[in-house]
Amino acid sequence: MLFDALLEILSLHLVPAYVGLVAYPEKLQALLPNTWHLESHDKIVLWASVAIALFFAIKLLVNARIGLARIHFAQQTAVNLSTRLLDAYLHAPHEYHLQHNSAELQRNLNSDSVQLADQLLIPLGDLLSQGAIILAVLGVFLFYIPVDVLAVLVGVLAVAGHAVLSQQHRLQQEGKEVQQLRGRLIKNTNEALGCAKEISLLGRQKFFVERFRDLFSRLTRHQRHIQIMAGRLIPGGIELATIVALAGMIYLLFRQGHNSQEVLELITIAAVGLARLKGSLSGFMGAHSLLEHKRAILDAIHADLAELETFTTMTTDHETAPAFRRELALADVHYRYPGSDHDVLRGVNLVIRKGEAIGFVGKTGAGKSTLIDLIMGLVHPTAGKLLLDSRPLHEQLPAWQRQIGHVPQLLSLVDGTIRENVALGLRPEQINEAALLRAVEQSQLTELVERLPDGLDTVIGERGIRLSGGQRQRIAIARALYHDPEIIIFDEATSALDNETEAEVIRAVDSLKGHKTILMIAHRLSSLRQCDNVYNLERGKIINITHDKSHLTPREGRATQ
Ligand SMILES: Nc1ncnc2c1ncn2[C@@H]1O[C@H](COP(=O)(O)OP(=O)(O)O)[C@@H](O)[C@H]1O
Ligand SMILES: [Mg+2]
């Protein structure tokens, strides 16, 4: 950074020296030893020209190298920050994700940290080097130019600088307004097009069209002003100020009795310096306002990381003893979502014995998934207790969670092979082939895999698009079974399937019965026939309906819905 500035100072000295040399070569001749054979004016000018060209070429290279290093550093920082953030998000408790929109997290991960690199760290580097250059230029001015003349120069520039700064501030405000207007314009259009049918029926087109015109003209008015200010008036103003300053200097220098050559040299220094100052000053001011603006992002990301990284350390477990020898008991468990005003679960009592198959039915929104999240230890009860083998569950959480295989309602398959989907998040060399085959067999996938030409290495397409619903579901089951869990949880894993496909999946589940503890949520009571105990969840309360057939509708055996 300081090297930048050093080169800049040198270049400032070089240009007037070069001009002086071309005008008065004999000065140099007297200084150089005769053996250099630089007698003729031509030769001196030639060598001086070559030297100055070379110097600027080197300066270019050095500048590019330093710029590259600076960008690299900034980007590296962004990569590290983003990686740390993703790691932290993936370690965060479930409740954190309940409270944060994934779009927001994605924004933090992608755009914000990249912006941070581009618009915070790079400007920070710029700020320092441009600052150093500005100081260097001022130093050179102070060295060459008489103080009173310099005062004129600085005075004019200060006035101009102040005017430019205040205009730029205004432009920034306007820029924000433009952003806002653009958002409102899009919103208006979306609303209008989204409700096109209703608008047409009600004859309310006028309202939307007028609002569109109004917003659009306000937008263009701001843009007009911004374009004129930023494109013409500000650069023009700077030019004017420079000319006024130089003209003032020339007048003063002549009045002080300097001869033409001295004036020429000083003006050259001033002109070259001013050209450099102009670039550096606008770089400096730009970097400064960006820094102000982006500091908010940095603060937000740091706050996120600080909060999240406490979880990262919390969840690295030390517990190795196996949990779940006999049973998990829920005693008077209540749960209320953060920010909600009512309990979703209200005094649930339940015992899950090892090896049992338990079913849950209930209307949508009854709290079934919430109950499962509590059982999995992803959320914690607001009142009541969960006891694993008579000890608080939260004390044995990692050991408990490692024994759970979860088959979600909305499965998420990755665009890869069956193998990659079953052994999710493992590198090829980490995959245990025996476990993979066992999981495939337990989920009744063997037949399918054998039929496929590429077997387990068949690519199943984005979200498993090349598979049927039942096949996708069984891949999800295989994924849950891969690590040979003691407890398997199906959260409405079959409710989107037709009867026949569901039967396929239920067969896969049946084959697990007796070997594993099974928790199964279903819409249809008929899907829970094999369960040892069936519970109905209604308005946050739970009742055992294993032998109570009144909850079945007469024809199809569906749960009340
Ligand atoms: N993150 C959340 N924040 C607030 N309320 C929620 C949240 N998730 C679910 N709920 C509410 O909790 C209730 C139970 O939801 P859920 O357990 O998903 O029901 P089910 O799985 O039985 O359909 C619903 O009324 C739902 O609106
Ligand atoms: Mg649910």
Side-chain angles (χ1 to χ4, degrees):
M1 229 148 335
L2 291 178
F3 200 54
D4 283 19
L6 200 67
L7 281 177
E8 220 52 59
I9 302 175
L10 261 178
S11 73
L12 275 174
H13 285 279
L14 269 182
V15 175
Y18 175 69
V19 172
L21 188 74
V22 173
Y24 307 94
E26 56 285 353
K27 275 193 185 168
L28 182 72
Q29 250 163 343
L31 290 175
L32 291 177
N34 283 340
T35 44
W36 283 28
H37 307 296
L38 290 175
E39 304 84 15
S40 77
H41 188 169
D42 282 10
K43 263 192 181 168
I44 289 180
V45 173
L46 173 71
W47 284 114
S49 303
V50 169
I52 200 161
L54 256 178
F55 172 82
F56 277 92
I58 292 172
K59 178 164 161 270
L60 171 70
L61 286 180
V62 170
N63 265 341
R65 192 72 202 89
I66 292 177
L68 196 67
R70 202 182 293 147
I71 294 172
H72 184 250
F73 170 74
Q75 290 178 331
Q76 209 52 45
T77 312
V79 169
N80 290 341
L81 210 58
S82 282
T83 315
R84 261 172 73 193
L85 259 182
L86 179 63
D87 188 54
Y89 288 151
L90 290 180
H91 278 96
H94 187 59
E95 270 163 341
Y96 180 85
H97 290 282
L98 289 180
Q99 286 169 298
H100 292 80
N101 189 313
S102 71
E104 186 188 314
L105 305 188
Q106 273 183 22
R107 191 204 57 207
N108 286 349
L109 278 173
N110 304 322
S111 65
D112 275 2
S113 45
V114 172
Q115 275 189 4
L116 198 71
D118 288 353
Q119 303 180 353
L120 195 71
L121 293 168
I122 296 173
L124 189 65
D126 281 348
L127 196 70
L128 293 177
S129 68
Q130 302 292 13
I133 292 172
I134 291 170
L135 285 182
V137 172
L138 291 179
V140 169
F141 279 3
L142 213 58
F143 184 74
Y144 283 105
I145 303 174
V147 178
D148 45 354
V149 180
L150 192 59
V152 172
L153 184 71
V154 172
V156 174
L157 290 184
V159 172
H162 179 74
V164 168
L165 264 184
S166 67
Q167 282 308 318
Q168 272 187 341
H169 184 69
R170 250 189 79 187
L171 284 183
Q172 253 182 19
Q173 297 298 330
E174 283 204 271
K176 271 185 215 156
E177 248 161 81
V178 164
Q179 278 300 95
Q180 219 190 16
L181 281 169
R182 212 173 259 144
R184 284 173 60 191
L185 204 58
I186 294 174
K187 186 166 160 275
N188 179 65
T189 320
N190 283 348
E191 284 171 5
L193 295 179
C195 308
K197 210 190 237 173
E198 291 87 331
I199 291 172
S200 157
L201 284 174
L202 297 168
R204 305 257 169 84
Q205 292 92 339
K206 192 162 170 245
F207 173 78
F208 291 95
V209 172
E210 273 176 4
R211 195 162 65 172
F212 185 81
R213 175 185 288 282
D214 172 53
L215 290 170
F216 212 162
S217 11
R218 275 164 63 193
L219 180 74
T220 50
R221 200 162 55 232
H222 283 301
Q223 280 176 328
R224 207 158 52 229
H225 187 235
I226 290 175
Q227 274 178 16
I228 281 292
M229 282 313 283
R232 309 261 159 134
L233 285 177
I234 292 183
I238 293 175
E239 195 181 57
L240 180 67
T242 313
I243 296 294
V244 169
L246 285 179
M249 275 180 70
I250 291 176
Y251 174 71
L252 253 183
L253 286 169
F254 271 114
R255 237 186 54 172
Q256 287 176 355
H258 293 273
N259 66 30
S260 304
Q261 192 218 332
E262 285 165 345
V263 173
L264 184 68
E265 270 181 28
L266 287 178
I267 291 301
T268 311
I269 294 175
V272 174
L274 281 178
R276 200 66 201 79
L277 261 190
K278 190 179 142 197
S280 292
L281 273 177
S282 64
F284 187 86
M285 290 186 314
H288 181 261
S289 62
L290 266 178
L291 270 183
E292 287 289 302
H293 187 54
K294 296 297 166 191
R295 223 182 37 204
I297 293 180
L298 188 69
D299 288 347
I301 289 185
H302 268 294
D304 255 21
L305 261 182
E307 182 193 348
L308 282 162
E309 281 181 349
T310 57
F311 300 136
T312 318
T313 45
M314 241 166 54
T315 47
T316 46
D317 60 300
H318 309 288
E319 182 122 17
T320 45
F324 197 41
R325 279 180 295 274
R326 294 187 316 277
E327 61 179 34
L328 175 78
L330 282 74
D332 196 24
V333 165
H334 291 251
Y335 186 74
R336 175 178 298 201
Y337 277 100
S340 167
D341 62 353
H342 66 281
D343 286 358
V344 175
L345 297 176
R346 298 183 299 141
V348 169
N349 289 296
L350 177 69
V351 177
I352 298 164
R353 289 181 197 85
K354 191 168 177 169
E356 245 183 356
I358 296 186
F360 298 96
V361 285
K363 290 182 190 165
T364 304
K368 303 182 295 292
S369 297
T370 309
L371 178 62
I372 292 298
D373 283 350
L374 274 162
I375 289 173
M376 293 196 286
L378 292 179
V379 296
H380 304 286
T382 28
K385 276 191 289 226
L386 279 93
L387 297 171
L388 181 62
D389 298 329
S390 317
R391 272 178 57 207
L393 175 68
H394 63 86
E395 289 175 6
Q396 316 166 64
L397 211 45
W400 166 249
Q401 286 177 335
R402 266 202 307 273
Q403 298 185 76
I404 296 177
H406 181 234
V407 186
Q409 178 171 11
L410 294 172
L411 26 133
S412 37
L413 296 181
V414 297
D415 186 7
T417 61
I418 297 183
R419 179 191 299 276
E420 283 165 340
N421 268 287
V422 174
L424 181 74
L426 292 181
R427 282 196 299 274
E429 70 272 16
Q430 291 177 313
I431 296 178
N432 177 339
E433 205 60 28
L436 187 72
L437 290 176
R438 180 189 37 70
V440 164
E441 198 195 313
Q442 285 176 329
S443 54
Q444 315 265 312
L445 272 174
T446 318
E447 197 193 320
L448 168 74
V449 169
E450 279 171 357
R451 256 191 296 121
L452 295 167
D454 291 332
L456 285 171
D457 295 308
T458 307
V459 175
I460 59 171
E462 199 178 348
R463 292 188 300 276
I465 213 151
R466 286 176 218 144
L467 298 174
S468 75
Q471 289 165 343
R472 278 203 288 265
Q473 207 57 265
R474 279 177 290 161
I475 288 193
I477 296 177
R479 180 190 288 170
L481 290 175
Y482 172 80
H483 65 289
D484 200 16
E486 179 51 46
I487 308 110
I488 305 165
I489 299 176
F490 299 90
D491 187 352
E492 302 200 38
T494 61
S495 55
L497 304 177
D498 58 72
N499 284 341
E500 218 159 292
T501 321
E502 185 185 22
E504 281 175 40
V505 178
I506 296 281
R507 260 199 302 284
V509 179
D510 275 351
S511 69
L512 299 169
K513 213 183 152 229
H515 310 289
K516 305 282 176 196
T517 308
I518 299 175
L519 302 186
M520 194 162 176
I521 296 178
H523 253 21
R524 304 172 196 140
L525 206 44
S526 60
S527 318
L528 301 176
R529 269 192 307 259
Q530 303 75 8
C531 292
D532 303 315
N533 276 301
V534 178
Y535 294 91
N536 184 26
L537 206 58
E538 211 174 298
R539 272 180 255 123
K541 297 210 178 260
I542 196 165
I543 17 169
N544 193 328
I545 54 159
T546 312
H547 309 293
D548 177 4
K549 302 296 179 205
S550 66
H551 288 261
L552 293 174
T553 53
R555 240 175 350 106
E556 234 201 304
R558 279 172 181 272
T560 42
Q561 207 190 322

